[in-house]
Amino acid sequence: MQNTLKNIFPNFSNELLSTIEENGSAQDFKAGTILMRTGQYIKNTVLITKGKIKIYREGEDGGEFLMYYLQPGQACAISMICTAKSEKSQIMAKVVEDVSVMMIPLQMMDKWMMEHRSWYEFVIETYRSRFEEVLEVVDNIAFRSMDERLEFYLKRHSDACGCSEVKLSHQEIATELNTSREVISRLLKKMEQRGLVKLNRNQIELLIKN
Amino acid sequence: MQNTLKNIFPNFSNELLSTIEENGSAQDFKAGTILMRTGQYIKNTVLITKGKIKIYREGEDGGEFLMYYLQPGQACAISMICTAKSEKSQIMAKVVEDVSVMMIPLQMMDKWMMEHRSWYEFVIETYRSRFEEVLEVVDNIAFRSMDERLEFYLKRHSDACGCSEVKLSHQEIATELNTSREVISRLLKKMEQRGLVKLNRNQIELLIKN
DNA sequence: ATCCTTATGTGATAAATGTTACTGTAGATT
DNA sequence: AATCTACAGTAACATTTATCACATAAGGAT
């Protein structure tokens, strides 16, 4: 077990890993579980060891605007940030593929920051990369039109899973980009005509490299 | 001098304040100066003691999409985040009102995190509040239409300056919301008809409380 | 096979936003 | 006062995105 954790978080020092074992509690959640809601208080930092969690903003109409995904070896930046004052969450976190996580009580956060260099670096790097990711999201919605955003979205997905097939329905994509299914269907059709993708039921194959 | 800094950053411990005096370099910049460009490497963390800095994303066409403003007592979250690896900046920072700043060499960042509790708390709080602010920006562009965004934008401005007059041209507003002047003019006219604002040359008066 | 549910394709139309082109106006400049 | 320039108003039109209304298809369940 120590070993697996070591593999997933290769940069953590051995002492840190033991401390995590001691103080964290390993938990599993099924796909569909909502781990965090807007307005809810945050009591734990979450380290993902297996599966996938979607971090999104919820619109009044129930839109699920995608911010980013959390995958093994990553942690929820928001839950780290809200540490000190156990602030309210500003986002929603939903399990999209069954996950295993380590729940770390918030008090540990501050403590480890001082005691474990590798924890400190991990936290800072988590902040940095997420901030950057969100900035990129802003860029996309501020400066790009839907067809470009869709292309970007598909690439992001295929990068994340490492394969060129994106297994999502048009409806799911539409929800995450906060538009309607028809729009996505139409744009995908155009992309197919341009030879960028191949469309199948519940699956889109990217024909572009990179 | 120590005294002023103490007033502007009331939560900093006295030792921290002295250390800042010793290691930081006080500098002034005129309105219009670009302090940081996209793609540029970051060498300093910036503490604002006077004036106002605009943090924005630049579109290919030169759009200046507003993320947030930095004011006295605040620091650039991005420059802090990019610390360790002296990463490239993802944003633009432009002085909008003559500023005085303390430039802190990046090496200090990590050092002080360990040594000064009040610095640590300041950094974490900076991260948190900026992240939140950016999330709110995402919300706005993802879920709201231009008229709502404009209203939000005006409120934000009047909150920031504490008065109900926003001294900006339609063109400036349009640039920051990445739309065109005509659109802003139209929407403002509608708002005026609804009794929400009073329009004057280079100035918009908000007639709504909060 | 037949039925059912979910996913997808597509036209018609509406609404929001962007663009072009021009007018008017206030204040600064000379 | 005459002129200039930046700012603001607005009509007409183009484009993009959203919505409505169906048609069709694919795959699972019976």
Side-chain angles (χ1 to χ4, degrees):
Chain A
M1 183 62 194
Q2 160 93 300
N3 194 21
T4 19
L5 210 55
K6 175 84 192 161
N7 292 337
I8 300 170
F9 297 92
N11 294 324
F12 284 0
S13 68
N14 289 328
E15 309 93 79
L16 175 57
L17 287 165
S18 323
T19 316
I20 292 176
E21 292 285 338
E22 271 169 52
N23 295 282
S25 93
Q27 294 187 26
D28 293 343
F29 296 98
K30 289 270 166 219
T33 312
I34 303 225
L35 289 181
M36 201 176 286
R37 287 176 197 287
T38 313
Q40 204 171 321
Y41 283 95
I42 298 173
K43 313 154 297 301
N44 289 286
T45 293
V46 175
L47 299 181
I48 290 89
T49 54
K50 209 189 78 185
K52 191 151 117 184
I53 296 174
K54 171 179 162 184
I55 304 291
Y56 62 98
R57 281 293 253 198
E58 195 175 51
E60 284 127 11
D61 55 346
E64 303 193 351
F65 193 86
L66 175 67
M67 304 297 306
Y68 49 80
Y69 289 106
L70 292 182
Q71 297 188 298
Q74 306 183 331
C76 178
I78 318 268
S79 71
M80 290 172 146
I81 287 179
C82 296
T83 174
K85 305 171 187 167
S86 111
E87 294 274 346
K88 283 184 191 172
S89 158
Q90 306 294 315
I91 46 87
M92 303 280 290
K94 189 203 276 185
V95 177
V96 289
E97 286 168 20
D98 296 6
V99 292
S100 302
V101 302
M102 281 298 270
M103 304 285 256
I104 315 283
L106 276 186
Q107 315 85 280
M108 295 297 120
M109 264 291 297
D110 279 359
K111 194 160 170 284
W112 294 352
M113 285 294 274
M114 302 296 165
E115 292 172 4
H116 300 279
R117 182 75 194 175
S118 57
W119 178 255
Y120 170 79
E121 278 168 3
F122 176 73
V123 170
I124 296 283
E125 173 54 23
T126 299
Y127 286 166
R128 199 193 56 74
S129 62
R130 291 315 167 184
F131 205 99
E132 218 167 273
E133 204 152 359
V134 174
L135 284 181
E136 197 159 19
V137 168
V138 172
D139 257 30
N140 276 306
I141 38 182
F143 298 121
R144 314 212 178 284
S145 52
M146 202 44 95
D147 54 349
E148 292 178 286
R149 287 174 55 196
L150 177 57
E151 238 179 279
F152 183 80
Y153 174 88
L154 294 174
K155 274 182 199 153
R156 230 173 132 191
H157 261 272
S158 81
D159 287 351
C161 78
C163 62
S164 65
E165 284 88 34
V166 178
K167 291 194 198 319
L168 292 168
S169 72
H170 297 185
Q171 182 59 66
E172 289 175 291
I173 299 173
T175 305
E176 299 205 323
L177 294 175
N178 194 45
T179 180
S180 67
R181 181 194 60 78
E182 293 90 325
V183 171
I184 297 299
S185 287
R186 264 198 284 266
L187 292 176
L188 281 173
K189 233 359 178 206
K190 277 191 208 156
M191 286 180 72
E192 189 173 43
Q193 282 156 14
R194 285 196 292 149
L196 299 178
V197 295
K198 190 162 174 319
L199 301 178
N200 302 299
R201 191 189 176 78
N202 263 316
Q203 181 195 299
I204 298 157
E205 188 180 340
L206 282 192
L207 299 177
I208 9 159
K209 296 293 134 194
N210 169 20
Chain B
M1 183 64 193
Q2 161 95 302
N3 195 22
T4 20
L5 209 57
K6 175 84 190 161
N7 292 337
I8 299 170
F9 297 92
N11 294 324
F12 285 180
S13 69
N14 289 326
E15 309 92 79
L16 175 57
L17 287 166
S18 322
T19 317
I20 292 176
E21 293 285 338
E22 271 169 50
N23 295 282
S25 94
Q27 294 187 26
D28 294 343
F29 296 97
K30 288 270 165 220
T33 312
I34 302 226
L35 288 181
M36 201 178 286
R37 289 176 194 286
T38 312
Q40 203 171 324
Y41 282 96
I42 298 173
K43 316 154 296 300
N44 289 287
T45 292
V46 176
L47 298 181
I48 290 90
T49 55
K50 208 190 77 186
K52 191 151 117 183
I53 296 175
K54 170 177 161 183
I55 304 292
Y56 62 97
R57 281 293 254 198
E58 195 174 51
E60 284 127 11
D61 54 347
E64 303 193 351
F65 192 87
L66 174 67
M67 303 297 306
Y68 50 78
Y69 289 106
L70 292 183
Q71 298 187 299
Q74 305 184 331
C76 179
I78 318 269
S79 70
M80 291 172 147
I81 287 178
C82 297
T83 174
K85 304 171 188 168
S86 114
E87 293 274 346
K88 284 184 190 170
S89 158
Q90 306 293 316
I91 45 87
M92 304 280 290
K94 188 203 276 184
V95 177
V96 290
E97 287 169 20
D98 297 5
V99 293
S100 302
V101 301
M102 282 299 271
M103 304 284 257
I104 315 284
L106 276 185
Q107 315 85 280
M108 294 298 120
M109 264 292 296
D110 279 359
K111 193 157 170 288
W112 294 353
M113 285 294 272
M114 301 297 166
E115 293 171 4
H116 299 279
R117 181 75 193 176
S118 56
W119 177 255
Y120 169 79
E121 277 167 5
F122 176 73
V123 170
I124 296 284
E125 174 55 23
T126 299
Y127 286 167
R128 199 194 56 74
S129 62
R130 292 313 167 185
F131 205 99
E132 218 167 272
E133 204 151 0
V134 174
L135 284 182
E136 196 160 19
V137 168
V138 171
D139 257 30
N140 276 307
I141 37 183
F143 297 122
R144 313 211 179 284
S145 51
M146 203 42 99
D147 53 350
E148 292 179 287
R149 287 173 56 196
L150 177 57
E151 240 179 278
F152 182 80
Y153 174 88
L154 293 175
K155 276 182 199 155
R156 228 172 134 193
H157 262 269
S158 81
D159 287 351
C161 77
C163 61
S164 65
E165 285 87 35
V166 178
K167 291 196 198 315
L168 291 168
S169 72
H170 297 186
Q171 182 58 66
E172 289 175 291
I173 299 174
T175 305
E176 298 204 326
L177 294 175
N178 195 46
T179 179
S180 67
R181 181 192 61 77
E182 292 86 334
V183 172
I184 297 298
S185 287
R186 259 201 297 262
L187 293 176
L188 281 173
K189 246 326 176 229
K190 277 190 208 159
M191 287 178 73
E192 190 174 41
Q193 283 157 14
R194 287 196 292 148
L196 300 178
V197 295
K198 189 163 175 322
L199 300 179
N200 301 298
R201 192 187 176 77
N202 260 317
Q203 181 195 298
I204 298 158
E205 188 180 340
L206 283 191
L207 300 177
I208 8 159
K209 294 295 134 197
N210 177 2

